[in-house]
Coordinates of all heavy atoms in Angstrom, one line a residue:
L686 N -19.3 -52.2 -22.0 CA -19.4 -53.3 -21.1 C -20.6 -54.3 -21.4 O -21.6 -53.9 -21.8 CB -19.6 -52.9 -19.6 CG -18.4 -52.2 -19.1 CD1 -18.7 -51.5 -17.8 CD2 -17.2 -53.2 -18.8
F687 N -20.3 -55.6 -21.3 CA -21.3 -56.6 -21.6 C -21.4 -57.6 -20.4 O -20.3 -58.2 -20.0 CB -20.9 -57.3 -22.9 CG -20.8 -56.4 -24.1 CD1 -19.6 -55.9 -24.4 CD2 -21.9 -56.0 -24.8 CE1 -19.3 -55.0 -25.5 CE2 -21.7 -55.1 -25.9 CZ -20.5 -54.6 -26.2
D688 N -22.5 -57.8 -19.9 CA -22.6 -58.8 -18.8 C -22.6 -60.3 -19.4 O -23.2 -60.5 -20.4 CB -24.1 -58.6 -18.1 CG -24.1 -57.4 -17.2 OD1 -23.2 -57.2 -16.4 OD2 -25.0 -56.6 -17.5
L689 N -21.9 -61.2 -18.5 CA -21.9 -62.6 -19.0 C -23.3 -63.1 -18.7 O -24.0 -62.7 -17.8 CB -20.9 -63.3 -18.2 CG -19.5 -63.5 -18.8 CD1 -18.8 -62.3 -19.0 CD2 -18.6 -64.5 -18.1
P690 N -23.8 -64.1 -19.5 CA -25.1 -64.6 -19.4 C -25.3 -65.6 -18.3 O -25.6 -66.8 -18.6 CB -25.4 -65.3 -20.8 CG -24.0 -65.7 -21.2 CD -23.0 -64.7 -20.6
V691 N -25.0 -65.2 -17.2 CA -25.1 -66.2 -16.0 C -26.2 -65.7 -14.9 O -26.3 -64.4 -14.9 CB -23.7 -66.4 -15.3 CG1 -22.7 -67.0 -16.2 CG2 -23.2 -65.1 -14.7
L692 N -26.7 -66.6 -14.2 CA -27.6 -66.3 -13.1 C -27.0 -66.9 -11.9 O -26.6 -68.2 -12.0 CB -29.0 -66.6 -13.3 CG -29.7 -65.8 -14.5 CD1 -31.1 -66.5 -14.8 CD2 -29.8 -64.4 -14.2
P693 N -27.0 -66.3 -10.8 CA -27.3 -64.9 -10.5 C -26.3 -64.0 -11.2 O -25.2 -64.3 -11.4 CB -27.2 -64.8 -8.9 CG -27.3 -66.1 -8.4 CD -26.6 -67.1 -9.5
K694 N -26.9 -62.8 -11.5 CA -26.1 -61.9 -12.2 C -24.9 -61.4 -11.4 O -25.1 -61.2 -10.1 CB -27.1 -60.6 -12.6 CG -26.3 -59.6 -13.4 CD -27.3 -58.4 -13.8 CE -26.5 -57.4 -14.6 NZ -27.5 -56.3 -14.9
G695 N -23.8 -61.3 -12.0 CA -22.6 -60.9 -11.3 C -21.9 -62.0 -10.6 O -20.9 -61.7 -9.8
S696 N -22.2 -63.2 -10.8 CA -21.7 -64.4 -10.0 C -20.4 -65.1 -10.7 O -20.0 -66.0 -10.2 CB -22.8 -65.4 -9.7 OG -23.3 -66.0 -10.9
E697 N -20.1 -64.6 -11.9 CA -19.0 -65.2 -12.6 C -17.7 -64.4 -12.4 O -17.8 -63.2 -12.2 CB -19.4 -65.3 -14.1 CG -18.4 -66.1 -15.0 CD -18.1 -67.4 -14.4 OE1 -17.1 -67.5 -13.5 OE2 -18.6 -68.4 -14.9
T698 N -16.6 -65.0 -12.5 CA -15.3 -64.4 -12.4 C -14.4 -64.7 -13.6 O -13.5 -65.6 -13.5 CB -14.5 -64.7 -11.2 OG1 -14.4 -66.2 -11.1 CG2 -15.2 -64.3 -9.9
P699 N -14.7 -64.1 -14.8 CA -14.1 -64.5 -16.0 C -12.5 -64.2 -15.9 O -12.1 -63.0 -15.8 CB -14.6 -63.6 -17.1 CG -15.2 -62.5 -16.4 CD -15.7 -62.9 -15.0
Y700 N -11.7 -65.2 -16.1 CA -10.2 -65.1 -15.9 C -9.6 -64.6 -17.2 O -8.7 -63.7 -17.1 CB -9.7 -66.4 -15.6 CG -8.2 -66.5 -15.1 CD1 -8.0 -66.7 -13.8 CD2 -7.2 -66.5 -16.0 CE1 -6.7 -66.8 -13.3 CE2 -5.9 -66.5 -15.5 CZ -5.6 -66.7 -14.2 OH -4.3 -66.8 -13.8
S701 N -10.0 -65.0 -18.4 CA -9.4 -64.6 -19.6 C -10.4 -64.8 -20.7 O -11.5 -65.1 -20.6 CB -8.2 -65.6 -19.8 OG -7.4 -65.2 -20.9
L702 N -9.9 -64.4 -21.9 CA -10.7 -64.6 -23.1 C -9.7 -64.7 -24.4 O -8.6 -64.3 -24.2 CB -11.7 -63.4 -23.3 CG -11.2 -62.0 -23.2 CD1 -10.4 -61.5 -24.4 CD2 -12.3 -61.0 -23.0
N703 N -10.3 -65.0 -25.5 CA -9.6 -64.9 -26.7 C -10.6 -64.6 -27.8 O -11.8 -64.8 -27.7 CB -8.9 -66.2 -27.0 CG -7.7 -66.1 -27.9 OD1 -7.5 -65.0 -28.6 ND2 -6.8 -67.1 -28.1
V704 N -10.1 -64.0 -28.9 CA -10.9 -63.6 -30.0 C -10.7 -64.5 -31.2 O -9.6 -64.6 -31.7 CB -10.6 -62.2 -30.3 CG1 -11.6 -61.7 -31.4 CG2 -10.8 -61.2 -29.0
D705 N -11.8 -65.1 -31.7 CA -11.7 -65.7 -32.9 C -11.9 -64.7 -34.1 O -13.1 -64.2 -34.4 CB -12.9 -66.8 -33.1 CG -12.9 -67.7 -34.4 OD1 -12.2 -67.2 -35.3 OD2 -13.5 -68.7 -34.4
K706 N -10.8 -64.2 -34.5 CA -10.9 -63.1 -35.4 C -11.5 -63.4 -36.8 O -12.2 -62.5 -37.4 CB -9.4 -62.5 -35.7 CG -8.6 -62.0 -34.5 CD -7.3 -61.5 -34.8 CE -6.5 -61.0 -33.7 NZ -6.3 -62.1 -32.7
K707 N -11.4 -64.6 -37.2 CA -12.1 -65.0 -38.4 C -13.6 -65.0 -38.4 O -14.2 -64.7 -39.4 CB -11.5 -66.4 -38.9 CG -12.1 -66.9 -40.1 CD -11.4 -68.3 -40.4 CE -11.8 -68.9 -41.8 NZ -11.2 -70.2 -42.1
R708 N -14.2 -65.4 -37.2 CA -15.6 -65.6 -37.2 C -16.2 -64.5 -36.3 O -17.4 -64.4 -36.1 CB -15.9 -66.9 -36.5 CG -15.5 -68.1 -37.4 CD -15.4 -69.4 -36.8 NE -14.9 -70.4 -37.6 CZ -13.6 -70.6 -37.8 NH1 -12.8 -69.8 -37.2 NH2 -13.3 -71.5 -38.7
G709 N -15.3 -63.6 -35.7 CA -15.8 -62.4 -34.9 C -16.5 -62.9 -33.6 O -17.7 -62.3 -33.3
I710 N -15.9 -63.9 -33.0 CA -16.5 -64.3 -31.7 C -15.4 -64.1 -30.6 O -14.3 -64.5 -30.8 CB -16.9 -65.8 -31.7 CG1 -18.0 -66.0 -32.7 CG2 -17.4 -66.3 -30.4 CD1 -18.3 -67.5 -33.0
V711 N -15.9 -63.6 -29.4 CA -15.0 -63.5 -28.3 C -15.3 -64.8 -27.3 O -16.5 -64.8 -26.9 CB -15.2 -62.2 -27.5 CG1 -14.3 -62.1 -26.2 CG2 -15.0 -61.0 -28.4
W712 N -14.4 -65.5 -27.1 CA -14.6 -66.8 -26.2 C -14.1 -66.4 -24.8 O -12.9 -65.9 -24.7 CB -14.0 -67.9 -26.8 CG -14.7 -68.5 -28.0 CD1 -14.3 -68.3 -29.2 CD2 -15.9 -69.2 -27.9 NE1 -15.3 -68.9 -30.1 CE2 -16.2 -69.5 -29.3 CE3 -16.7 -69.7 -27.0 CZ2 -17.4 -70.2 -29.7 CZ3 -17.9 -70.4 -27.3 CH2 -18.2 -70.6 -28.6

């Protein structure tokens, strides 16, 4: 598990994500 970098901690509700497989980044 990885916390999103927001303050206050726990205040975000991430709906979705996608993976840039070529660059190894999760957006």
Side-chain angles (χ1 to χ4, degrees):
L686 291 168
F687 305 92
D688 288 304
L689 266 68
V691 295
L692 293 174
K694 187 177 180 179
S696 61
E697 186 52 273
T698 57
Y700 191 104
S701 187
L702 52 74
N703 204 348
V704 182
D705 185 339
K706 297 181 177 69
K707 183 177 180 180
R708 296 163 186 82
I710 301 176
V711 182
W712 288 100

